């Protein structure tokens, strides 16, 4: 049997014992009949659910079932023993990934790169399952049986919804087995109807007469007669835990209550557990009761809690006594109480020695090596100072991994007075809110941290104050409150700062100058940032890059004159860091950006870079922070191909994304800039009707939560709509105002260059001198920066007349001829150019294969496994699932799961769309 019970890589202090397959006692009853019934359907199932109340042997049965599966076919068993710390999406899947680590899966993206953004069951979280599912599907060798034991500890709706999506998309090479006391909130009816669910309940796990007789024999209970055995079965209704206690402590049972339904289990268990405990020597009773505060019993922990130097020998003795203990490691030994027995012991401890438990938790915390468990012990002991110290020690690693909910849970157990007194804790709360894009809530906590650090006033406090001010400034910048952001940055003057804060400050200064479209300030800010990044990379400190390059991979500021060489240097530095070893995903994105090639106008180089950029964005498409850049990448791919419909689809998806969680908090400041891109594409396509759909949004003046360039951008869009309608006077008035705004606030990546539109209007109205005056300014900017991006964002039909208008003597100017050549080499035939006034022209719309991207067929098909390509080829021929199953010698359920994976990987919604992808390869 292949097993993953060997040590896995820990995830933020997760104990490795969570991933060990429990060792069965030699006197455990083998449930052969139940296993035989479940084995065949389990081989084809999507999910095997073992659901029963406590004490029915779910864990034991899952071990026996996976061993039986492994005897039939090669399979690696991966075990996760869940507990209350796994009760959120991030921690649940972090544990799953840690358990899978020993298998050496072919990760397209390491788990650390995407777990950080896994917070709920939203679209980005569901998309995040892609690397995990692809890794499972792409593994060569044995299948994978993933066991999630004690799933009842996971009650968070987001975690369960994400698990539901995971089960839905499991490749045929993997099977999920779940043990739970309650029915999990998953799509059980749908999987049941499809024949993809194997369910075993307490009726299946109940002991019958044969199993009870086997238990009597294995436990050496010859004194129990057949009549007593039958009486015990009747009283317990076959409940294994109750039956074991009843047989093991046979006596006059006249006063023993008959078990009636699962609700009576705990009462009956307590009745007999009291008997079990009473038969132990007093010193062992004390040992067992005191150790009930421990989730796992090791000699070191038990010695600390009980002050007994012989704790290891005592644990071995207890295991031999057949108490309700399971062995996680028999050599150390490491044991775990059955949950039901541990609950009883904790209640009994409180009854016998009220108030002792906190002191025991404190002793355990002093030697507990796993931070998460040490924190829980300290919180249970009300040792707030100790808990805070361990939380502050663990928080940076947890936050980097995306375990914000874990940190929030810990902080939520601290008293308000402790939270209020510690600025470090307020800063942590701010980071947790920031991770969910709750910038307003984050600012509340960060402001409290700021006040606390300032009041204490030590050197270290002033360093932290600096970091908090920078983070607050970035939040207000994203929310459009630039005056507040500038004030916060001004407060940073004179404060000490560590390297990370210095780099973060350099990045925020770039955003601040860029948001104000201030070229004079942006250029030195970017220069300072690039030099710091290059220095950090040279010293192998790639960990410092994250706060520095935060979101600067977006194309907002790549057209600013004088920045092209700096952007390339920043990209190359990040690429060097990525080549040396793992870097944060933001470094990967920055290292792959293609925007410098676009603005320079090198079509071949841009096409090659863009492919790399899209591959990286696709691998990270579960991260909300990459969405806008990913959609913009697809938009530019459409422009490169002359496919304006494809380009528009991508930007319209971006508009939808900013209205959905978790980005909806940014709607006020980000929605219109994205709409500008959509409007610019409508202008390029000459689609007056679609552009008119944005007219109401563009007529609203810029709000206080929007960047300054928005005012000029909206005027440019209204002017272009007037051009398409033939309203020349209105168009001229609006475009002149837009040009004036563009001179002060230019972000042409979003709005385009209104000078070209106004020049075209002058040309149409036979005013060449006015047109040339505007073109003179455009050419001067292009020459200074050696870029042609503004021309490439203009409608193709507009470029021709304006280039033809260029006087011949201008070609003698150094560089102009080369720029024009690059523009002409880039240009493609327009899909539907703007023209003279008249009825709006319909767009030439080709049917889209999906809402995502069915046009990128080669890259999407490359993500399929060889078997999935075989299934898709037959599907494209029109064959049904039954015919495909017959042709490939597969079960019908396996074919259905392959088809589901194909639809997911191709990002399409139907078999017809998938077939279209195959035919277009």
């Amino acid at each position: 049997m292949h097993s993953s019970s060997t040590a896995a890589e820990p995830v933020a202090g997760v104990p490795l014992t969570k991933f060990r397959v429990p060792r069965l006692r030699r006197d455990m009853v083998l449930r052969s009949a139940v296993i035989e019934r479940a084995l065949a359907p389990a081989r084809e199932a999507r999910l095997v659910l073992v659901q029963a109340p406590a004490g029915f042997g779910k864990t034991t049965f899952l071990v026996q079932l996976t061993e039986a599966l492994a005897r039939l076919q090669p399979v690696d068993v991966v075990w996760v023993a869940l507990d209350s710390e796994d009760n959120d999406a991030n921690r649940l899947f972090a544990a799953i990934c840690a358990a899978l680590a020993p298998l050496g899966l072919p990760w397209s993206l390491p788990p650390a790169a995407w777990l950080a953004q896994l917070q709920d069951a939203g679209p980005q979280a569901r998309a995040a399952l892609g690397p995990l599912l692809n890794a499972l599907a792409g593994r060569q060798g044995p299948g994978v049986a993933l066991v999630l034991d004690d799933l009842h500890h996971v009650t968070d709706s987001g975690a369960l919804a994400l698990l539901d999506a995971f089960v839905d998309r499991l490749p045929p090479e993997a099977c999920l087995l779940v043990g739970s006391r309650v029915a999990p909130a998953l799509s059980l009816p749908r999987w049941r109807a499809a024949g993809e669910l194997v369910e075993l309940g307490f009726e299946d796990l109940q002991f019958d007469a044969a199993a009870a007789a086997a238990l009597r024999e294995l436990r050496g209970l010859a004194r129990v007669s057949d009549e007593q055995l039958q009486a015990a079965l009747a009283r317990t209704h076959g409940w294994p835990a109750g039956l074991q206690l009843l047989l093991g402590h046979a006596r006059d049972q006249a006063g023993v209550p008959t078990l009636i339904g699962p609700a009576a289990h705990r009462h009956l268990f307590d009745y007999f557990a009291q008997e079990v405990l009473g038969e132990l020597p007093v010193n062992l009773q004390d040992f067992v009761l005191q150790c009930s505060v421990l989730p796992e019993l090791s000699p070191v922990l038990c010695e600390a809690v009980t002050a007994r130097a012989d704790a290891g020998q005592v644990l071995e003795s207890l295991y031999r006594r057949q108490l309700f203990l399971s062995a996680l490691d028999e050599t150390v030994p490491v044991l775990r109480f059955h949950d039901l027995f541990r609950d009883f012991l904790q209640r009994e401890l409180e009854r016998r020695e009220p108030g002792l438990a906190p002191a025991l938790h404190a002793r355990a915390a002093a030697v507990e090596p796993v931070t998460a468990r040490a924190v829980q012990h300290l919180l249970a002991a009300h040792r707030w100072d100790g808990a805070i110290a361990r939380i502050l020690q663990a928080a940076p690693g947890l936050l980097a991994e995306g375990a914000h909910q874990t940190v929030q849970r810990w902080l939520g157990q601290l008293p308000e007075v402790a939270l209020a007194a510690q600025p470090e804790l307020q800063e942590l709360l701010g980071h947790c809110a920031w991770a969910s894009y709750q910038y307003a809530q984050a600012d509340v906590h960060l402001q409290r941290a700021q006040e606390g650090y300032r009041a204490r006033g030590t050197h270290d406090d002033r360093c932290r104050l600096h970091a908090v001010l920078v983070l607050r400034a970035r939040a207000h910048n994203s929310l459009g409150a630039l005056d507040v952001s500038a004030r916060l940055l001004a407060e940073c003057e004179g404060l000490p700062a560590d390297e990370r804060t210095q780099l973060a400050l350099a990045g925020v200064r770039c955003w601040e100058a860029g948001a104000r479209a201030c070229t004079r300030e942006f250029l030195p800010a970017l220069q300072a940032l690039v030099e710091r990044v290059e220095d950090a990379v040279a010293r192998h400190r790639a960990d410092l890059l994250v706060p520095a390059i935060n979101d600067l991979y977006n194309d907002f500021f790549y057209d600013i004159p004088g920045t092209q060489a700096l952007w390339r240097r920043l990209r190359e530095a990040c690429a060097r860091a990525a080549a040396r070893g793992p870097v944060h995903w933001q470094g990967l994105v920055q290292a792959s950006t293609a925007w410098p090639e676009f603005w320079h106008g090198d079509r071949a180089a841009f096409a090659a870079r863009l492919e790399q950029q899209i591959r990286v964005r696709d691998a990270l498409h579960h991260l909300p922070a990459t969405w806008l850049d990913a959609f913009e990448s697809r938009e530019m791919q459409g422009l490169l191909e002359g496919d304006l419909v494809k380009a528009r689809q991508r930007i319209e998806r971006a508009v939808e994304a900013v209205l959905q969680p978790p980005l909806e908090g940014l709607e006020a400041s980000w929605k219109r800039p994205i709409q500008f891109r959509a409007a610019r594409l409508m202008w390029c396509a000459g689609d007056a009707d679609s552009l008119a759909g944005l007219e109401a949004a563009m007529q609203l003046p810029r709000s206080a939560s929007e960047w300054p360039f928005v005012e000029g951008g909206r005027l440019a869009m209204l002017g272009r709509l007037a051009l398409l309608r033939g309203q020349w006077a209105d168009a001229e008035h609006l475009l002149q105002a837009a040009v004036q705004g563009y001179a002060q606030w230019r972000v042409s990546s979003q709005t385009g260059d209104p000078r070209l539109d106004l020049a075209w209007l002058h040309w149409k109205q036979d005013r060449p001198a006015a047109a040339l005056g505007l073109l003179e300014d455009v050419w001067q900017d292009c020459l200074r920066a050696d870029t042609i991006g503004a021309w490439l964002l203009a409608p193709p039909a507009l470029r021709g007349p304006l280039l033809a208008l260029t006087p011949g003597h201008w070609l003698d100017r150094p560089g102009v001829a080369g720029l024009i050549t690059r523009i002409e080499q880039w240009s493609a035939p327009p899909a539907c150019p703007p023209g003279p006034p008249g009825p709006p022209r319909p767009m030439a719309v080709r049917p889209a294969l999906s809402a995502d991207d069915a046009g990128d067929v080669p890259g999407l098909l490359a993500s399929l496994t060889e078997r999935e390509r075989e299934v898709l080829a037959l599907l494209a021929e029109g064959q049904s699932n039954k015919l495909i199953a017959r042709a490939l010698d597969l079960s019908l359920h396996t074919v259905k799961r392959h088809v589901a994976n194909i639809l997911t990987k191709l990002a399409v919604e139907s078999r017809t769309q998938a077939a279209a992808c195959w035919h277009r390869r």
Side-chain angles (χ1 to χ4, degrees):
M1 172 180 173
H2 300 276
S3 171
S4 66
S5 59
T6 56
E9 288 296 320
V11 175
V14 174
L16 300 183
T17 47
K18 286 173 65 75
F19 313 127
R20 290 177 178 159
V21 178
R23 300 173 183 270
L24 296 183
R25 301 175 62 103
R26 289 183 290 274
D27 55 5
M28 284 293 180
V29 176
L30 179 63
R31 311 304 304 277
S32 302
V34 185
I35 290 173
E36 185 177 352
R37 291 199 308 270
L39 196 55
R43 296 177 65 186
E44 297 292 338
R46 183 184 300 274
L47 172 66
V48 176
L49 173 61
V50 181
Q51 179 208 336
F56 269 88
K58 298 181 292 296
T59 298
T60 299
F61 179 78
L62 285 169
V63 173
Q64 293 179 356
L65 179 60
T66 52
E67 288 179 341
L69 282 171
R71 286 193 293 270
L72 288 178
Q73 60 191 32
V75 62
D76 283 337
V77 178
V78 177
W79 196 279
V80 184
L82 299 170
D83 53 44
S84 58
E85 285 298 307
D86 303 306
N87 192 26
D88 65 67
N90 176 273
R91 292 294 83 192
L92 174 61
F93 279 89
I96 290 173
C97 290
L100 291 168
L103 301 188
L105 297 180
W107 295 102
S108 60
L109 193 69
W114 49 268
L115 278 172
Q117 297 291 324
L118 202 60
Q119 302 299 324
D120 53 25
Q124 81 284 359
R126 291 195 295 273
L129 298 175
L132 172 57
L133 293 163
N134 290 339
L136 288 169
R139 180 175 184 248
Q140 302 298 317
V144 177
L146 173 60
V147 181
L148 299 183
D149 198 15
D150 292 335
L151 184 62
H152 50 268
H153 287 300
V154 179
T155 58
D156 178 73
S157 59
L160 290 171
L162 197 59
L163 181 62
D164 190 278
F166 174 70
V167 177
D168 244 345
R169 297 162 58 188
L170 264 181
E173 297 83 0
C175 175
L176 181 67
L177 300 95
V178 166
S180 177
R181 294 182 186 177
V182 297
L186 302 174
S187 300
L188 302 181
R190 177 159 52 83
W191 299 329
R192 187 181 299 122
E196 299 174 322
L197 171 65
V198 175
E199 295 177 278
L200 296 108
F202 73 90
E203 301 93 340
D204 300 290
L205 300 182
Q206 284 175 324
F207 273 27
D208 56 15
L215 176 65
R216 177 178 60 181
E217 180 179 350
L218 288 168
R219 296 294 170 89
L221 302 175
R223 70 182 186 279
V224 178
S225 66
D226 289 344
E227 291 76 13
Q228 289 176 313
L229 190 66
Q230 290 297 325
L233 273 175
R235 288 186 179 278
T236 61
H237 289 241
W239 181 40
L243 185 63
Q244 176 182 335
L245 283 167
L246 195 60
L247 294 180
H249 303 275
R251 61 176 215 169
D252 181 9
Q253 299 170 7
V256 178
T258 300
L259 178 65
I260 303 176
H265 288 170
R266 183 172 300 280
H267 300 297
L268 185 63
F269 189 91
D270 285 0
Y271 181 92
F272 286 113
Q274 190 67 56
E275 300 294 317
V276 173
L277 188 63
E279 291 185 0
L280 292 175
V282 173
N283 63 334
L284 286 187
Q285 290 186 34
D286 293 338
F287 184 94
V288 169
L289 289 169
Q290 292 173 12
C291 289
S292 67
V293 302
L294 301 172
E296 290 177 2
L297 282 63
S298 70
V300 172
L301 287 166
C302 292
E303 181 177 342
V305 168
T306 65
R308 290 191 59 155
D310 61 344
Q313 290 80 6
V314 175
L315 289 175
E316 292 176 357
S317 172
L318 291 174
Y319 188 61
R320 289 195 299 269
R321 287 174 177 269
Q322 300 179 350
L323 291 180
F324 279 83
L325 288 161
S326 57
L328 302 174
D329 189 335
E330 293 178 350
T331 59
V332 175
V334 177
L335 308 177
R336 179 186 291 135
F337 283 125
H338 188 289
D339 285 350
L340 208 56
F341 192 47
R342 185 184 179 209
D343 290 345
F344 160 76
L345 292 174
Q346 289 177 339
R347 291 195 302 274
E348 185 66 12
L349 173 66
E350 184 61 24
R351 187 184 70 81
R352 293 189 184 187
E353 301 189 63
L356 179 60
L360 299 177
H361 280 292
R363 295 178 197 171
V367 296
E368 174 59 69
V370 178
T371 297
R373 288 182 174 168
V375 170
Q376 290 295 353
H377 282 307
L378 289 165
L379 291 171
H382 294 180
R383 301 295 177 90
W384 309 127
D385 290 342
I388 290 170
R390 295 298 292 266
I391 290 171
L392 292 176
Q393 179 186 11
L398 289 168
L399 293 177
E401 194 177 277
H404 306 94
Q405 292 181 346
T406 296
V407 177
Q408 282 181 306
R409 269 200 305 273
W410 290 347
L411 296 176
Q413 296 177 61
L414 294 171
E416 284 294 330
V417 64
L419 290 172
Q422 294 266 20
E424 292 86 354
L425 301 181
Q426 291 297 323
E427 184 180 355
L428 280 183
L429 288 169
H431 280 287
C432 291
W434 176 283
S436 302
Y437 295 89
Q438 298 171 358
Y439 291 144
Q441 184 61 38
D443 191 60
V444 170
H445 293 297
L446 292 173
Q447 187 170 8
R448 292 172 183 167
Q450 173 185 324
E451 294 167 355
Y453 288 133
R454 180 171 282 130
R456 288 200 315 216
T458 69
H459 177 79
D460 289 344
D461 289 326
R462 297 179 74 227
C463 286
R464 293 311 313 153
L465 171 61
H466 197 161
V468 167
L469 288 169
V470 170
L471 191 59
R472 288 191 66 203
R474 183 67 180 88
H476 284 285
N477 180 283
S478 293
L479 294 172
L482 299 184
D483 292 341
V484 178
S485 179
R487 176 177 58 77
L488 291 168
L489 289 179
E491 293 184 38
C492 295
E493 296 296 333
L495 291 174
D498 57 19
E499 282 190 273
R500 185 178 297 275
T501 301
Q502 290 172 1
L503 271 164
L505 178 61
V508 173
R509 290 200 185 282
C510 288
W511 273 104
E512 192 70 10
R516 299 178 185 277
C518 183
T519 303
R520 178 172 48 82
E521 296 178 5
F522 186 85
L523 194 58
L526 183 62
Q527 174 81 31
L529 171 66
V530 171
E531 290 174 354
R532 288 187 179 277
V533 169
E534 288 175 333
D535 177 66
V537 172
R539 292 184 292 111
H540 297 266
R541 290 298 309 276
D543 58 297
L544 299 175
L545 302 188
V546 178
I549 60 175
N550 186 12
D551 295 345
L552 280 174
Y553 47 78
N554 287 301
D555 72 335
F556 282 97
F557 312 130
Y558 276 77
D559 63 324
I560 294 179
T563 62
Q564 292 301 305
L566 292 172
W567 287 123
R568 291 174 188 269
R569 284 172 56 186
L570 182 62
R571 180 178 66 190
E572 290 163 4
C574 292
R576 287 196 299 273
R580 290 173 180 169
V583 298
H584 191 272
W585 62 264
Q586 295 216 28
L588 294 174
V589 175
Q590 188 69 57
S592 65
T593 184
W595 300 127
E597 281 70 25
F598 173 80
W599 287 102
H600 184 257
D602 188 337
R603 184 184 179 100
F606 175 67
R609 280 278 185 182
L610 187 63
E611 287 298 323
Q612 179 189 6
Q613 177 170 315
I614 288 174
R615 283 197 301 272
V616 173
R617 273 57 169 182
D618 285 349
L620 296 166
H621 69 293
H622 55 282
L623 304 178
T626 69
W627 287 358
L628 300 185
D629 191 57
F631 289 129
E632 290 163 3
S633 301
R634 299 291 191 187
E635 173 210 0
M636 300 313 295
Q637 188 180 54
L639 287 179
L640 186 68
E641 298 168 355
D643 188 343
L644 294 176
V645 175
K646 175 180 177 179
R648 278 184 56 186
Q649 288 175 341
R650 295 303 158 265
I651 292 305
E652 287 165 0
R653 288 288 310 283
V655 175
E656 295 170 5
V658 85
L659 302 179
Q660 303 297 323
L663 299 181
E664 77 276 17
L666 301 178
E667 176 185 352
S669 54
W670 290 89
K671 181 179 179 181
R672 281 212 288 191
I674 302 171
Q675 287 178 326
F676 288 163
R677 299 182 76 110
R680 176 170 49 74
L681 292 169
M682 296 168 189
W683 158 240
C684 287
D687 186 354
D689 286 346
S690 296
L691 189 53
L694 295 175
E695 184 175 11
M698 297 303 161
Q699 286 177 338
L700 296 173
R702 168 185 167 253
S703 71
S705 63
E706 293 178 309
W707 285 1
F709 83 90
V710 167
E711 182 63 18
R714 74 175 191 88
L715 294 173
M717 300 308 164
L718 291 172
R720 291 163 184 162
L721 179 59
L723 283 179
L724 290 177
R725 290 171 170 170
Q727 298 168 348
W728 305 111
D730 290 344
E732 184 171 356
H733 172 74
L734 289 165
L735 288 173
Q736 284 177 344
V739 168
Q740 291 174 1
Y742 185 80
Q744 188 174 2
W745 302 298
R746 64 181 283 172
V747 183
S748 56
S749 61
Q750 309 300 307
T751 64
D753 191 336
R755 295 175 297 181
L756 293 175
D757 306 316
L758 186 56
W760 184 81
L761 172 59
H762 288 319
W763 171 74
K764 290 293 292 182
Q765 294 197 310
D766 203 21
R767 296 198 295 261
L772 285 174
L774 290 165
L775 292 178
E776 174 79 18
D777 291 340
V778 174
W779 283 119
Q780 290 297 333
D781 286 347
C782 291
L783 285 169
R784 279 194 296 269
D786 191 25
T787 60
I788 60 170
W791 286 92
L792 303 183
L793 293 176
L798 178 149
R799 298 179 211 152
L802 294 183
L803 289 175
L805 193 62
T806 303
H809 67 273
W810 281 17
L811 300 178
D812 296 331
R813 299 181 181 182
V816 172
L819 294 177
I820 292 177
T821 299
R822 295 210 302 263
I823 295 170
E824 291 174 342
Q825 289 175 344
W826 185 284
S827 298
C832 188
R841 307 182 195 181
M843 293 184 63
V845 179
R846 64 174 175 80
L849 292 176
S850 77
D852 286 313
D853 192 16
D856 309 301
V857 173
L860 294 171
L861 292 178
S863 68
L864 301 182
T865 65
E866 182 178 353
R867 176 65 82 185
E868 287 166 350
R869 290 175 68 89
E870 293 174 348
V871 171
L872 178 57
L874 295 174
L875 182 152
E877 294 175 4
Q879 296 194 29
S880 66
N881 285 350
K882 289 185 178 180
L883 292 176
I884 295 173
R886 189 178 306 162
L888 299 179
D889 194 24
L890 300 173
S891 72
L892 183 58
H893 295 316
T894 299
V895 172
K896 289 179 180 179
R897 294 170 70 180
H898 277 310
V899 171
N901 286 338
I902 290 168
L903 298 183
T904 296
K905 292 182 179 181
L906 297 184
V908 297
E909 298 176 353
S910 68
R911 295 166 67 94
T912 302
Q913 292 173 338
C917 275
W918 179 256
H919 291 307
R920 293 183 61 196
R921 68 191 187 280

